Amino acid sequence: MGEALEDSKQTYRLQGLSCTNCAAKFEKNIREIQTVNDVQLNFGASKLTVIGEATVEQIEEAGAFDGIKVLPEHQRIEEIKIPFWKKAENKNTMTSLVFLIFGYVSMYSLGDNHLTTILIFALSILIGGFDLFKVGLKNLTKLQFDMKTLMTIAIIGAAIIGEWSEGAVVVFLFALSEALESYSMDKARRSIRSLMEIAPKRAFVRRGDQEMELDVEDILVEDILIIKPGQKLAMDGEVVQGQSSINQAAITGESIPVLKTVGDEVFAGTLNEEGSLEVKVTKRVEDTTISKIIHLVEEAQAERAPSQAFVDKFAKYYTPAIIAIALLIAIVPPLFMGGAWSEWIYRGLAVLVVGCPCALVISTPVAIVTAIGNAAKKGVLIKGGIHLEEAGRLKVIAFDKTGTLTKGTPEVTEIKVFNNMDESEVLGISMAIERFSQHPLASAIIRKAEEKGISLNDYSAEDFQSITGKGARATVKDTMYYIGNPKLFNEMVSLPSSVQEEVKTLQNQGKTVMLLGTKQDIIGLIAVADQVRDSSSKVIRKLLDIGIQKTIMLTGDNQATGQAIGKQVGLSEVKAELLPQDKLETIKSLKEQYGKVAMVGDGVNDAPALSAATVGIAMGGAGTDTAIETADIALMADDLNKLPYTIQLSRRTLGIIMQNITFALGLKLLALILIVPGWLTLWMAIFADMGATLIVVINSLRLIRVKE
């Protein structure tokens, strides 16, 4: 039986989870359910995983103190949006404010100790603080000292010593800041919610001879989706009929629509702009790219960043210390220094209020949640707070060449003719031979011939034979032609010095040269190169401008090609002719020398180097499971321009976290200093605490506005 419980795992979404302290208490309450083995609560994503057995009713009872609603993960929820001012708790806050104002009017006209004044302030306290007292008093009976317990003690204490007006102001400010904090956190979480709403929940499907509208959960692999212009795709799949421009911004962050034709991959959540499409479903709804992104973003927001781990550890010792200080301030001066009990109890209560660690505890998670959500909307998948922080500390960035700095598809750049033939004839003969070859360079020649309108009917090859490592030969129009590298022709004829010079010049430019000829003559040459991405040099320049000390290319290609591309894009250094283990050793060496090093690659051949780097960054995460799984950060659009944005977002996040921690601690320190001369009032204390929390949240929300 125990084993069955251990294997049982349920995931839920939460509504009404208001603060980090409440989350910790909620998690603790669930752990106390006897049939529960473990609990994982993701505050940023409002998500709960229970390992063991617990009913929804039991879990909701554990969160009843905060009004938490529990819903199964995949249950479709129609969220009712209630305006800020119409929420019941916010109406109570405004009613409390009305009585607070009447209380001050009564105080100035009738006096602060008049029964009418006290009753009005008491009504303000009860209406605004009813939910607070309900939880605070319950916690007090269990000796659980969280924020609401400390507030309850402070307000009851204020009433006992006759500070009714102060108590009413504290209740109103606390209720107002709770409402604003809840609103701000909800805004931060909206980045995930908007991701979840990208893909439609239903779609038109053809299954056999029947067409029907189905929920996405009921759609099977191999079903055919029918997508009309202006509709969003509900599932990942492959186009089987039609062509259209697809806006992939939701998945990859690309603003320009991409033309998709038969055989192309398409993703759930993308928008079909023009034509009608038929798409064969290739993945179940839980396996789509958007589902993976949502899952990884939620996991990333749950993972504790180094700064958050420090803050959590600090807060653990900080809260008991504050309670001890408040107790000493309230008791020691009256007992041993002849101080007035009412005055020093008041000061002790002020310490309790100002000492709440709320702003400090929330200083890091809200910034991490906001930054990771912003990045996901821009097509950058960051797999955890630790990777977000590390990206801001990078000193060196190493790049793979093929598919990273270059497009990864070779193109013909030059055609030279050495006899009476013309260019189209050289290209036609070469195409006829290379159509039988599997070499990547062969596809470049065929593409070039097709561009020039040369047909395979004009040139046909017979008796094709591959010459391993050197080239190929075949008979075209009754003549035996050879195509291959210069080494092949050196063995057959003596290359003229003019041809040798031409070959050397092109090779120094980073191009691969193939010669075409017979056993007696060199007819022409074709130069092929992997084209550098248009964005590469601009991105390298931008990285150096924002303070990256060194950019280095690690490639398995030859030295001449590597150096040529390195010079073209403006890299600091090039290391060529490297095997995967050489790349790994280079990354280790760079880490020893500079500390923080990133590796940018395609996530397939560069896996060892990506995992060894401080931050592994994969290109083209959309549609590439390996890239998403291997790397710490995936650039979904296969777009290098996202790299400087990611580093700047990371630096802004680090800066905002530091501002938040400094502000939260600094304001509390200032407030504690004001207690010594007796200048700190209870309402100033609550303003210092709740104001700090609110400012920390609002400061973190600035990360939503970080642009590329």
Side-chain angles (χ1 to χ4, degrees):
M1 181 67 184
E3 200 174 310
L5 285 179
E6 204 172 333
D7 291 339
S8 177
K9 185 176 178 181
Q10 294 295 324
T11 304
Y12 303 94
R13 296 207 171 270
L14 307 172
Q15 289 183 340
L17 188 65
S18 60
C19 68
T20 46
N21 283 328
C22 303
K25 185 179 175 184
F26 181 42
E27 192 173 334
K28 182 175 176 287
N29 289 352
I30 297 169
R31 284 184 196 282
E32 287 172 2
I33 298 170
Q34 287 188 342
T35 50
V36 169
N37 296 325
D38 196 13
V39 182
Q40 292 155 7
L41 197 151
N42 182 335
F43 175 67
S46 277
K47 200 171 170 184
L48 173 77
T49 302
V50 176
I51 297 159
E53 292 289 337
T55 63
V56 169
E57 290 73 24
Q58 283 177 302
I59 299 168
E60 284 193 344
E61 193 182 328
F65 69 91
D66 200 31
I68 296 166
K69 292 287 171 206
V70 179
L71 302 153
E73 185 182 19
H74 297 298
Q75 182 178 317
R76 204 165 295 164
I77 315 151
E78 285 301 323
E79 197 178 349
I80 302 160
K81 290 186 180 173
I82 304 168
F84 182 75
W85 301 112
K86 288 190 178 178
K87 288 186 177 178
E89 59 269 31
N90 297 344
K91 283 181 181 176
N92 290 346
T93 304
M94 299 321 294
T95 308
S96 171
L97 174 63
V98 171
F99 278 103
L100 179 64
I101 292 165
F102 283 138
Y104 271 102
V105 170
S106 176
M107 190 171 80
Y108 286 114
S109 54
L110 301 173
D112 25 345
N113 291 321
H114 195 280
L115 184 62
T116 305
T117 304
I118 291 170
L119 283 172
I120 294 171
F121 279 133
L123 272 171
S124 176
I125 289 170
L126 284 171
I127 291 166
F130 182 74
D131 291 334
L132 165 68
F133 299 141
K134 203 164 62 175
V135 178
L137 290 168
K138 197 174 177 184
N139 287 351
L140 198 54
T141 59
K142 296 178 182 177
L143 296 177
Q144 291 177 350
F145 292 95
D146 68 1
M147 182 179 61
K148 289 184 178 177
T149 317
L150 301 186
M151 285 294 163
T152 303
I153 295 169
I155 294 158
I156 291 170
I160 289 169
I161 60 175
E163 294 288 349
W164 291 95
S165 62
E166 293 268 328
V169 170
V170 167
V171 164
F172 169 70
L173 286 174
F174 178 78
L176 179 64
S177 62
E178 284 270 282
L180 291 172
E181 185 189 332
S182 172
Y183 171 77
S184 303
M185 268 312 295
D186 193 50
K187 195 169 182 184
R189 288 190 183 115
R190 226 168 279 158
S191 59
I192 294 235
R193 215 170 295 137
S194 62
L195 279 176
M196 293 172 72
E197 289 163 4
I198 283 170
K201 304 297 180 218
R202 290 176 69 79
F204 270 102
V205 170
R206 184 189 303 125
R207 190 180 285 171
D209 297 329
Q210 286 187 309
E211 286 187 12
M212 60 197 95
E213 190 181 17
L214 295 175
D215 287 346
V216 287
E217 292 82 4
D218 299 325
I219 295 173
L220 305 173
V221 173
E222 300 289 320
D223 279 349
I224 303 294
L225 295 182
I226 298 163
I227 319 290
K228 293 174 184 171
Q231 286 186 337
K232 280 187 175 180
L233 279 78
M235 307 287 279
D236 283 12
E238 182 186 312
V239 178
V240 290
Q241 191 171 318
Q243 70 170 36
S244 180
S245 291
I246 300 282
N247 186 330
Q248 299 191 146
I251 303 292
T252 66
E254 293 168 285
S255 55
I256 300 164
V258 180
L259 181 67
K260 299 284 185 178
T261 58
V262 174
D264 288 339
E265 188 175 18
V266 287
F267 307 111
T270 57
L271 177 68
N272 178 28
E273 295 205 331
E274 298 164 351
S276 293
L277 292 175
E278 290 192 8
V279 172
K280 182 173 73 177
V281 175
T282 54
K283 292 176 184 173
R284 294 272 299 163
V285 64
E286 60 270 19
D287 299 323
T288 61
T289 303
I290 189 68
S291 295
K292 282 185 179 173
I293 292 171
I294 292 163
H295 176 70
L296 286 166
V297 169
E298 288 182 335
E299 292 302 305
Q301 291 183 335
E303 187 184 297
R304 291 179 189 274
S307 54
Q308 188 176 344
F310 160 75
V311 165
D312 289 350
K313 198 172 179 183
F314 182 84
K316 191 179 171 185
Y317 300 104
Y318 168 87
T319 308
I322 286 290
I323 293 170
I325 290 167
L327 198 62
L328 289 171
I329 285 171
I331 293 171
V332 171
L335 280 179
F336 302 106
M337 296 157 64
W341 277 101
S342 61
E343 183 190 339
W344 287 99
I345 287 171
Y346 180 90
R347 291 189 189 186
L349 295 174
V351 172
L352 273 188
V353 172
V354 83
C356 287
C358 202
L360 182 66
V361 169
I362 208 168
S363 60
T364 301
V366 72
I368 297 288
V369 165
T370 308
I372 288 174
N374 179 5
K377 285 163 94 171
K378 299 277 197 310
V380 178
L381 188 57
I382 302 171
K383 288 170 64 177
I386 186 167
H387 310 307
L388 177 68
E389 288 194 13
E390 293 287 28
R393 301 188 178 106
L394 291 172
K395 300 284 193 294
V396 176
I397 300 182
F399 296 87
D400 175 42
K401 177 181 78 75
T402 307
T404 302
L405 292 170
T406 65
K407 293 175 182 173
T409 50
E411 292 177 22
V412 173
T413 57
E414 275 98 6
I415 301 169
K416 303 275 183 184
V417 184
F418 301 123
N419 68 2
N420 298 325
M421 279 189 189
D422 58 25
E423 272 190 21
S424 62
E425 206 169 348
V426 168
L427 197 53
I429 294 166
S430 302
M431 177 190 68
I433 303 170
E434 291 289 19
R435 64 180 289 215
F436 297 104
S437 173
Q438 299 299 313
H439 200 280
L441 300 181
S443 58
I445 290 170
I446 293 164
R447 277 197 305 274
K448 187 70 173 178
E450 286 169 352
E451 276 174 35
K452 294 274 189 184
I454 300 167
S455 168
L456 281 169
N457 297 329
D458 300 331
Y459 296 90
S460 61
E462 296 170 355
D463 305 325
F464 172 84
Q465 188 180 336
S466 175
I467 305 166
T468 308
K470 294 174 187 173
R473 71 178 190 186
T475 302
V476 181
K477 293 185 178 177
D478 300 326
T479 305
M480 177 64 77
Y481 289 101
Y482 291 79
I483 186 166
N485 57 33
K487 199 189 293 181
L488 172 66
F489 284 89
N490 267 327
E491 293 170 2
M492 296 191 296
V493 294
S494 177
L495 289 180
S497 56
S498 58
V499 174
Q500 287 180 16
E501 282 298 315
E502 194 76 55
V503 168
K504 195 174 177 184
T505 303
L506 291 167
Q507 284 179 337
N508 286 339
Q509 291 171 11
K511 294 168 183 175
T512 302
V513 178
M514 289 182 286
L515 296 174
L516 176 72
T518 63
K519 270 197 169 178
Q520 293 79 34
D521 283 320
I522 307 294
I523 295 166
L525 70 73
I526 297 173
V528 177
D530 186 359
Q531 296 299 291
V532 172
R533 288 177 188 266
D534 299 334
S535 59
S536 292
S537 55
K538 188 173 76 175
V539 167
I540 298 298
R541 199 161 53 246
K542 205 181 279 188
L543 289 172
L544 295 171
D545 287 345
I546 63 172
I548 296 297
Q549 292 177 18
K550 187 173 192 169
T551 54
I552 179 169
M553 182 169 77
L554 310 179
T555 178
D557 216 329
N558 66 68
Q559 196 69 40
T561 302
Q563 291 297 341
I565 288 172
K567 191 176 178 183
Q568 191 177 339
V569 301
L571 292 163
S572 316
E573 190 181 339
V574 172
K575 286 187 178 287
E577 298 175 20
L578 301 179
L579 295 169
Q581 60 264 35
D582 300 326
K583 289 185 182 183
L584 178 62
E585 290 306 317
T586 306
I587 292 292
K588 286 179 179 174
S589 166
L590 287 167
K591 278 174 80 176
E592 283 174 20
Q593 198 176 345
Y594 293 94
K596 305 292 183 185
V597 177
M599 173 71 192
V600 187
D602 61 10
V604 183
N605 353 354
D606 301 311
L610 283 169
S611 57
T614 313
V615 181
I617 302 169
M619 295 287 288
T624 315
D625 290 346
T626 317
I628 292 178
E629 286 159 17
T630 311
D632 304 317
I633 297 173
L635 309 181
M636 303 299 285
D638 202 19
D639 180 5
L640 268 181
N641 284 307
K642 306 283 184 188
L643 189 54
Y645 153 76
T646 306
I647 291 168
Q648 284 173 313
L649 174 70
S650 171
R651 288 178 180 175
R652 282 286 296 278
T653 307
L654 284 171
I656 279 175
I657 288 170
M658 197 50 65
Q659 289 164 21
N660 287 351
I661 293 170
T662 305
F663 184 79
L665 287 175
L667 200 60
K668 288 186 188 303
L669 190 63
L670 178 65
L672 289 170
I673 290 167
L674 291 177
I675 285 171
V676 178
W679 295 346
L680 186 77
T681 62
L682 266 180
W683 74 265
M684 282 170 66
I686 182 75
F687 191 78
D689 176 57
M690 291 302 140
T693 303
L694 202 55
I695 288 166
V696 157
V697 172
I698 291 166
N699 190 38
S700 299
L701 289 177
R702 290 194 300 134
L703 289 164
I704 290 172
R705 299 170 64 188
V706 176
K707 292 177 183 169
E708 292 174 53

